[in-house]
Amino acid sequence: MFAAGAMTLVTAVAACGSDAGNSAAPPTAGPHGMHAGASSAPPQPLRAGERFLDLRMAEAYTPTAPEGGGTDEYRCQLIDPGLTRAAFLTGTQFTPENVAIAHHAIVYAVPPDRAALVREQDAKTPGLGWQCFGGTGVPGADVEGDDQGATWVDTWAPGATETLFTQDIGFKVGPGSLIILQIHYNLLATDGKPAGSDRSAVRLRLTDGTPQTRELGTLPLDAPTDLPCAADESGPLCDRAASIADVTKRFGPDVGESADRQVEECNPGGVPKPGNTQTCDQKVPAPMTLFAGFGHMHLLGRAIKVELNPGTPNAKVVLDVPQFNFDNQRLMKLPSPVEIGPGDTLRVTCTHDAKLRRLLPQLKKLPPRYVVWGDGTSDEMCTGIMTVSPRAR
């Protein structure tokens, strides 16, 4: 389903925690990695026409564990880059101040026409920033569905470098644009007790561009999530309708209606298909060039793949994450750009695993549930977010 406004032209890093808990990794390959304690890699040199803009959190923030236990906090911070003229964002580099607690981060860009929504969210939340999980946490300035209005630019994990494109392309950021910095703070070493403050920074790589510079946007490809309880699990939330009602109670009707809406759009006959793996075929709406992509799921995610024209002689895999890691959702460049347009089909396929619920401390404390689309740690998503540029017909 290509939602209206899918071609948003801004940047950011996202992940938030309405009910997040402990981030200890399962003993087998899974959705969480323990990599706190390392700093960012050295910045790559500037290229012709580029400049760096160094930004920092407004003040130091001391993370605390969420109510109800756990050792993780996902915090979104607003940063105003103070742009007075339009520029193209060609790279980002996150620099944590307190590497002992900064586990990973995501950077988003929000366009000027959505900036007021972000400032309102920041103003109404006590303290510095606000708690978030599946995106920016700002309706109308997020990266999914009807709330689109921000662009996911890149993700940082310790040791990560910038993702730099070699083509003359970039995310256009105009005067008044904002940056949202989402940081996952891990307090595992102190059993959830405060472990000092952090005032991290982000370096933007900007260029004025030329008349030939191509403007990047994001194209989200969603599939349903219909993950039943494991065979030996039981409880009131193992019923699909009860689980959807619970998501609606926690996040409102817009999120609560997502599960049924996606089934209607993706499944023949609009019938749910309970199981570990879900798919959705979506027609390409307009001519565009595909440059990169990344997969987004939550803690039960195992694998995600995006295919172009599956089942045809011209089939091509354009995104493949066979071992998904929630804490390392990396933007992956294609070996070479791929031209797509009307008549083409993109298929996103996600595999989730309910058994991971027993391995992750933050989920072990929660009752079993039939997992559907939602913003919380115990809910799930299936999205291939592709980096594209429109082209002439």
Side-chain angles (χ1 to χ4, degrees), residues 49-64:
E50 293 180 331
R51 62 187 182 277
F52 285 136
L53 176 61
D54 291 310
L55 305 172
R56 199 177 185 193
M57 290 164 49
E59 57 187 82
Y61 177 72
T62 300
T64 57

Side-chain angles (χ1 to χ4, degrees), residues 163-233:
T163 300
L164 298 181
F165 294 99
T166 56
Q167 299 89 356
D168 185 15
I169 56 178
F171 293 95
K172 190 173 183 179
V173 285
S177 295
L178 299 176
I179 296 296
I180 295 178
L181 185 61
Q182 185 206 38
I183 306 175
H184 169 192
Y185 291 112
N186 185 295
L187 305 177
L188 183 63
T190 57
D191 295 323
K193 298 180 177 63
S197 64
D198 173 69
R199 193 181 178 194
S200 291
V202 62
R203 169 175 283 179
L204 306 183
R205 181 185 295 261
L206 299 173
T207 179
D208 291 337
T210 69
Q212 289 72 45
T213 302
R214 295 186 63 176
E215 199 169 322
L216 292 177
T218 52
L219 184 65
L221 308 171
D222 300 338
T225 299
D226 269 288
L227 182 66
C229 289
D232 58 351
E233 292 180 324

Side-chain angles (χ1 to χ4, degrees), residues 345-390:
T345 297
L346 288 167
R347 173 181 294 171
V348 59
T349 301
C350 287
T351 298
H352 297 89
D353 187 352
K355 294 190 294 294
L356 290 172
R357 193 157 36 217
R358 304 171 185 173
L359 302 176
L360 295 168
Q362 68 270 44
L363 296 183
K364 290 169 67 174
K365 300 176 183 180
L366 302 175
R369 68 171 56 241
Y370 186 117
V371 181
V372 295
W373 186 280
D375 289 350
T377 309
S378 60
D379 309 309
E380 268 301 339
M381 291 184 178
C382 170
T383 305
I385 301 180
M386 311 308 294
T387 302
V388 301
S389 179

Side-chain angles (χ1 to χ4, degrees), residues 46-312:
L46 286 169
R47 299 171 296 188
E50 293 180 331
R51 62 187 182 277
F52 285 136
L53 176 61
D54 291 310
L55 305 172
R56 199 177 185 193
M57 290 164 49
E59 57 187 82
Y61 177 72
T62 300
T64 57
E67 295 181 9
T71 59
D72 294 83
E73 183 182 10
Y74 291 80
R75 199 77 180 178
C76 281
Q77 312 280 355
L78 180 160
I79 300 180
D80 186 349
L83 296 177
T84 58
R85 68 181 192 273
F88 288 91
L89 179 61
T90 56
T92 61
Q93 182 75 41
F94 174 79
T95 305
E97 181 186 64
N98 189 340
V99 296
I101 58 175
H103 194 275
H104 83 282
I106 301 174
V107 180
Y108 298 88
V110 178
D113 64 342
R114 306 300 176 97
L117 298 173
V118 178
R119 293 190 184 279
E120 180 181 353
Q121 175 70 37
D122 190 40
K124 72 180 183 182
T125 307
L128 186 67
W130 60 95
Q131 194 177 70
C132 52
F133 184 74
T136 67
V138 183
D142 215 327
V143 293
E144 273 303 319
D146 296 334
D147 286 338
Q148 287 179 44
T151 300
W152 184 322
V153 175
D154 208 355
T155 303
W156 170 86
T161 59
E162 293 175 283
T163 300
L164 298 181
F165 294 99
T166 56
Q167 299 89 356
D168 185 15
I169 56 178
F171 293 95
K172 190 173 183 179
V173 285
S177 295
L178 299 176
I179 296 296
I180 295 178
L181 185 61
Q182 185 206 38
I183 306 175
H184 169 192
Y185 291 112
N186 185 295
L187 305 177
L188 183 63
T190 57
D191 295 323
K193 298 180 177 63
S197 64
D198 173 69
R199 193 181 178 194
S200 291
V202 62
R203 169 175 283 179
L204 306 183
R205 181 185 295 261
L206 299 173
T207 179
D208 291 337
T210 69
Q212 289 72 45
T213 302
R214 295 186 63 176
E215 199 169 322
L216 292 177
T218 52
L219 184 65
L221 308 171
D222 300 338
T225 299
D226 269 288
L227 182 66
C229 289
D232 58 351
E233 292 180 324
S234 62
L237 292 179
C238 287
D239 175 76
R240 185 178 187 272
S243 183
I244 291 176
D246 177 69
V247 169
T248 303
K249 180 180 178 180
R250 287 183 285 127
F251 299 109
D254 287 346
V255 177
E257 294 169 358
S258 296
D260 287 336
R261 183 173 64 248
Q262 290 168 346
V263 165
E264 292 174 1
E265 293 174 345
C266 297
N267 294 354
V271 178
K273 297 180 179 179
N276 291 348
T277 300
Q278 305 288 333
T279 67
C280 189
D281 287 356
Q282 301 170 28
K283 298 295 184 181
V284 176
M288 61 188 75
T289 305
L290 179 59
F291 288 97
F294 66 91
H296 178 59
M297 299 186 285
H298 291 175
L299 304 182
L300 300 180
R302 278 294 193 185
I304 183 169
K305 179 168 59 176
V306 175
E307 302 167 87
L308 174 64
N309 297 324
T312 73

Side-chain angles (χ1 to χ4, degrees), residues 33-50:
M34 294 298 293
H35 49 233
S39 59
S40 296
Q44 301 179 62
L46 286 169
R47 299 171 296 188
E50 293 180 331

